[in-house]
Amino acid sequence: MLRVAVVGSGPSGCYTAQSLVQLDPEVCVDVLDRLPCPYGLVRYGVAPDHEKIKSLQGSLRTVLEHERVRFVGGIRVGGPGGVPVERLRELYHAVVYCVGAATDRRLGIPGEELPGCWSATEFVSWYSAHPDAADAGFLRGVRSAVVIGMGNVAVDVTRMLVRGAAELLPTDIPQAALDTLTASGVREVHMVGRRGPAQARFTTKELRELGGLPGTEVKVDPRELALDPVDPATLPAVQRRNVEVLRDWAARPPAPAGRHIGLRFFLRPVELLAQGDAGGPPGGALERGADRVGAVRFERTVPDGAGGVTGSGRFEVVPAQLVLRSVGYRGVPLDGLPFDAATGTVPNVAGRVVRDGVPSPGEYVAGWIKRGPTGVIGTNRPCAKETVLSLLADAPALARGDVPADPVATLRSAGVDPVSWNEWLSIERAEAALGAGLGRGVVKLADWEGLLGAAHPS
Ligand SMILES: Cc1cc2nc3c(=O)[nH]c(=O)nc-3n(C[C@H](O)[C@H](O)[C@H](O)COP(=O)(O)OP(=O)(O)OC[C@H]3O[C@@H](n4cnc5c(N)ncnc54)[C@H](O)[C@@H]3O)c2cc1C
Ligand SMILES: NC(=O)c1ccc[n+]([C@@H]2O[C@H](COP(=O)([O-])OP(=O)(O)OC[C@H]3O[C@@H](n4cnc5c(N)ncnc54)[C@H](OP(=O)(O)O)[C@@H]3O)[C@@H](O)[C@H]2O)c1
């Protein structure tokens, strides 16, 4: 029997476990996660109003319920109080790290530290009920928001900022986030890209959805579209369709609406201005001296003909009391594992971790920590399979290692108190009960106390 630890129960961890048990009848897999809840970003990233994608949790559940797969929640690997990487290698024949890319990229511009400027990662974690997240006062006094970035996460947070109660009520969004979002005074959201429409990274289905939001008008400036002389027919299919949708919106006459989304292009953020510097909040919604962000100063860019842009020396200031930077995620180093700071990934060859330039049998990676933070849920399936094929090629040598019959029992006797699959099911029941009490469907528990209390009822 080959005993494998998979660290991380997001899509890449689940697909790794699935490939392992499908391809080798002699493998037993423990899927460890630092959280008491499985599914990674499918639970804590995919937007609550994307219920169909959320339902992929059902197929990941089937993997974690396989007779040779065991979910072991509430165990952090590495870091203070965590199980050291070296210890894990002693407990298992092989370890596959599927820890994702937990943090955000920064803009590196003045004013980024001002209250009111947050990463999309923080905002997403809050509305997704991640137990490490809290309401940082994201929407306090906000009428105008700027979202920097043109990827699918930027589309998600833009959409969530204008969603109404009727659309959010049936989702599993935590009650506090629901109350805050539906009571918010946000009237306009500017989603801003430093390049042009043909270089935007969102997909057309997600873009189109912005155009169908109740009570919300989408505005596109035809002059900004005209800045890029690209012929859509020469573009790859997704970009071509994106440009077609944007041109269609740009040609529409203005329509009365309570909320507005402006899609802006060729604007590179150069500085965030505090409210005092930006002339104070419109309508005086915030107390003076709060020193919260009041505007973003952008430099207008021009296409360089090769997909890039250059500065024009002309500037534009966009008022905003909330700035969400949605410029990509970033992997974090795990103590004891090599890390490439330039890419935010663990160096690897076909999933085998590379130490000192040499592949290290017994240690593997899959998912965002292997490839970097791009790709949809399904992209992680072939990625995980490649890693599993490397692992199984090494298996005859690895299986000769001496490991305990039950590594989790060994961890328990060392004082680790994990959350079992049955205890996770207790959390699910508590979330259903919470929702029923509120007259809603399932409602997520949003803090450690609530989750662990539900997992281990006394
Ligand atoms: C905001 C957002 C929305 C998205 N929406 C969609 C969508 O609608 N559709 C779509 O197809 N794709 C979507 N994606 C992309 C998709 O979520 C990713 O492709 C996928 O989640 C990456 O999988 P992963 O397993 O590598 O990482 P993750 O899903 O991040 O899983 C990593 C897991 O590792 C655990 N972990 C981390 N560190 C440790 C540690 N030290 N010890 C133990 N456990 C640890 C984490 O708790 C987590 O459970 C979205 C991404 C984001 C950021
Ligand atoms: N519904 C879905 O399917 C869904 C939902 C959410 C996420 N996802 C997936 O998850 C992955 C991550 O998405 P993401 O949106 O975080 O990343 P992304 O697709 O890489 O988009 C990042 C955006 O940030 C911009 N950017 C980067 N650095 C910048 C800077 N310094 N200043 C201004 N703009 C900057 C990029 O512009 P440039 O192009 O100019 O660099 C790009 O528009 C993607 O693969 C995405 O498709 C999918």
Side-chain angles (χ1 to χ4, degrees):
M1 201 44 105
L2 191 74
R3 293 205 171 274
V4 179
V6 170
V7 183
S9 65
S12 64
C14 290
Y15 292 140
T16 297
Q18 184 176 43
S19 279
L20 279 165
V21 292
Q22 276 175 353
L23 294 173
D24 189 332
E26 300 270 286
V27 143
C28 269
V29 187
D30 285 342
V31 180
L32 279 49
D33 204 292
R34 75 179 193 83
L35 297 176
C37 312
Y39 312 135
L41 283 169
V42 184
R43 179 173 162 95
Y44 288 119
V46 172
D49 59 336
H50 276 180
E51 280 149 334
K52 195 165 166 210
I53 304 172
K54 283 264 178 224
S55 70
L56 274 173
Q57 291 178 42
S59 56
L60 302 183
R61 163 191 286 263
T62 312
V63 176
L64 296 177
E65 286 183 332
H66 188 281
E67 57 185 358
R68 281 182 288 126
V69 176
R70 179 167 55 165
F71 172 71
V72 191
I75 293 197
R76 177 195 288 276
V77 175
V83 180
V85 159
E86 300 74 18
R87 179 70 184 128
L88 212 54
R89 279 292 289 119
E90 293 164 359
L91 295 175
Y92 292 90
H93 293 115
V95 183
V96 189
Y97 295 92
C98 302
V99 291
T103 193
D104 52 280
R105 293 184 62 234
R106 301 188 69 80
L107 293 166
I109 60 173
E112 201 172 353
E113 307 304 331
L114 280 171
C117 173
W118 285 285
S119 65
T121 318
E122 290 165 292
F123 186 62
V124 167
S125 294
W126 165 68
Y127 68 60
S128 301
H130 194 293
D132 289 345
D135 185 358
F138 295 109
L139 302 180
R140 205 175 302 141
V142 178
R143 289 186 63 78
S144 171
V146 160
V147 176
I148 297 173
M150 281 283 167
N152 276 328
V153 173
V155 175
D156 274 352
V157 298
T158 297
R159 195 181 65 250
M160 287 298 291
L161 281 170
V162 298
R163 277 279 191 218
E167 301 137 70
L168 292 177
L169 202 62
T171 74
D172 64 4
I173 191 168
Q175 189 64 31
L178 174 71
D179 293 341
T180 304
L181 281 166
T182 55
S184 97
V186 174
R187 288 295 166 262
E188 48 182 15
V189 184
H190 310 270
M191 188 175 143
V192 187
R194 60 182 172 180
R195 299 194 288 160
Q199 289 85 39
R201 304 248 189 109
F202 43 65
T203 38
T204 317
K205 182 166 165 282
E206 279 62 33
L207 174 66
R208 275 209 186 98
E209 198 179 355
L210 293 179
L213 300 175
T216 302
E217 182 205 24
V218 181
K219 294 191 282 192
V220 180
D221 185 339
R223 287 166 304 181
E224 286 183 353
L225 296 191
L227 281 174
D228 188 355
V230 69
D231 174 4
T234 63
L235 294 171
V238 173
Q239 283 75 14
R240 178 171 45 77
R241 286 196 295 266
N242 285 347
V243 171
E244 284 165 5
V245 170
L246 291 164
R247 286 187 178 175
D248 184 33
W249 287 345
R252 279 191 205 166
R259 288 178 165 172
H260 305 272
I261 295 173
L263 295 173
R264 304 293 313 273
F265 295 95
F266 296 112
L267 288 170
R268 184 170 66 88
V270 289
E271 185 182 9
L272 270 65
L273 304 173
Q275 296 205 336
D277 304 330
L286 264 182
E287 64 277 22
R288 299 291 299 192
D291 214 20
R292 189 176 167 125
V293 71
V296 189
R297 191 160 172 263
F298 291 96
E299 181 180 17
R300 184 151 281 294
T301 59
V302 285
D304 64 4
V309 287
T310 53
S312 70
R314 286 180 292 120
F315 296 87
E316 178 174 337
V317 172
V318 178
Q321 303 81 47
L322 167 69
V323 177
L324 294 176
R325 47 174 204 278
S326 182
V327 295
Y329 279 62
R330 206 182 138 66
V332 289
L334 201 61
D335 290 342
L337 267 195
F339 188 71
D340 178 345
T343 58
T345 58
V346 172
N348 70 93
V349 175
R352 274 188 199 91
V353 172
V354 172
R355 283 186 184 273
D356 304 321
V358 185
S360 163
E363 293 180 301
Y364 307 85
V365 280
W368 277 16
I369 196 63
K370 171 185 173 188
R371 314 187 305 276
T374 58
V376 293
I377 294 165
T379 318
N380 298 293
R381 191 192 281 272
C383 171
K385 186 164 182 193
E386 179 192 58
T387 296
V388 166
L389 290 175
S390 296
L391 189 160
L392 293 180
D394 300 340
L398 297 174
R400 287 197 285 274
D402 197 12
V403 300
D406 185 351
V408 175
T410 308
L411 284 170
R412 273 188 202 280
S413 58
V416 175
D417 185 18
V419 171
S420 67
W421 183 253
N422 279 336
E423 288 166 333
W424 152 245
L425 296 181
S426 299
I427 294 176
E428 277 195 323
R429 283 193 296 275
E431 292 188 333
L434 174 63
L438 292 164
R440 297 176 52 196
V442 168
V443 172
K444 278 176 172 173
L445 291 163
D447 55 44
W448 281 100
E449 204 185 354
L451 289 168
L452 294 177
H456 308 293
S458 49

